[in-house]
Amino acid sequence: MGEEHKNLKKVPGLGALELCSSLAERVGIVLATASGFVMLFSLLVGVATRWLPFMTSAIWSEEIARMCMLWLTSNGASVAFNRLELVRFNLLTDIMPEKVRHLLEIVSDVCILIVLCILLKYGYDMLLLKAKVEAAATHISYFWWALGLYIGFVLMVFHGVKFLVKHLLECKTVWKGGETA
């Protein structure tokens, strides 16, 4: 866990946001874990039915595995985002003064939330469009495939709002020359 993540709970005024973000992280963990297990089972069935002569090939296994991969990656990414474990390039920001670094964090938080809102808007449109199309082997609506991505974006919004509010609450401390939590 990143050092920033450990210190996040020390910022006063984040109680409700931290609770929502914590709940969103737990939902992301459950969804990612469940979809990972279903994906693993589906792949095992697919491999077994190809190589065992007494079984017929399970043509549905690859489609289920791809759908679960979408759910796993999007919800897993939301968990990694909350834990600050996504890839970051800090080379330039680490050499900046504390005030500039803090301002860049706020700008970054705002940009991330803007991108997430755009993804939510177009993701909703995609959900409506994909509801009309079914997968070939399983006849599962592509709506369910796209829903995994959409849920991941929604969970990331909770975390993004928490980070933005945290950085905004720290502004007074940073601009007075104090250390952030």
Side-chain angles (χ1 to χ4, degrees):
M1 222 186 289
E3 197 61 33
E4 286 182 46
H5 184 68
K6 290 179 186 175
N7 293 330
L8 197 54
K9 295 181 182 182
K10 296 178 184 176
V11 177
L14 274 183
L17 284 174
E18 181 61 38
L19 181 65
C20 289
S21 181
S22 176
L23 181 62
E25 181 178 7
R26 289 181 184 160
V27 168
I29 290 170
V30 168
L31 290 174
T33 304
S35 59
F37 280 118
V38 172
M39 182 178 70
L40 179 63
F41 175 75
S42 173
L43 291 172
L44 289 173
V45 168
V47 170
T49 58
R50 284 190 193 107
W51 293 102
L52 296 175
F54 57 88
M55 297 181 96
T56 59
S57 181
I59 59 173
W60 53 267
S61 66
E62 189 266 337
E63 283 183 1
I64 297 294
R66 278 191 294 144
M67 181 173 65
C68 289
M69 180 60 84
L70 286 173
W71 281 75
L72 174 69
T73 55
S74 64
N75 290 293
S78 74
V79 173
F81 177 59
N82 185 46
R83 295 180 179 180
L84 301 173
E85 294 176 351
L86 292 176
V87 175
R88 293 171 48 146
F89 296 98
N90 298 358
L91 181 63
L92 294 177
T93 57
D94 286 348
I95 62 173
M96 300 286 181
E98 178 73 18
K99 291 177 183 178
V100 174
R101 186 174 35 233
H102 188 73
L103 183 63
L104 288 174
E105 287 175 348
I106 292 172
V107 169
S108 174
D109 292 339
V110 169
C111 289
I112 288 169
L113 283 172
I114 288 170
V115 168
L116 286 171
C117 287
I118 291 169
L119 289 172
L120 286 175
K121 190 264 184 243
Y122 288 108
Y124 180 76
D125 295 342
M126 184 177 69
L127 283 175
L128 296 178
L129 182 67
K130 294 293 184 180
K132 302 172 186 171
V133 183
E134 289 182 347
T138 59
H139 300 291
I140 296 174
S141 171
Y142 277 113
F143 169 84
W144 298 107
W145 295 49
L147 184 63
L149 292 172
Y150 197 77
I151 290 171
F153 297 149
V154 169
L155 297 178
M156 284 185 199
V157 167
F158 285 109
H159 307 314
V161 168
K162 175 189 69 175
F163 291 137
L164 177 61
V165 170
K166 172 199 174 267
H167 290 129
L168 290 173
L169 289 173
E170 290 176 340
C171 277
K172 188 175 181 182
T173 305
V174 170
W175 288 98
K176 285 185 176 181
E179 289 292 317
T180 61

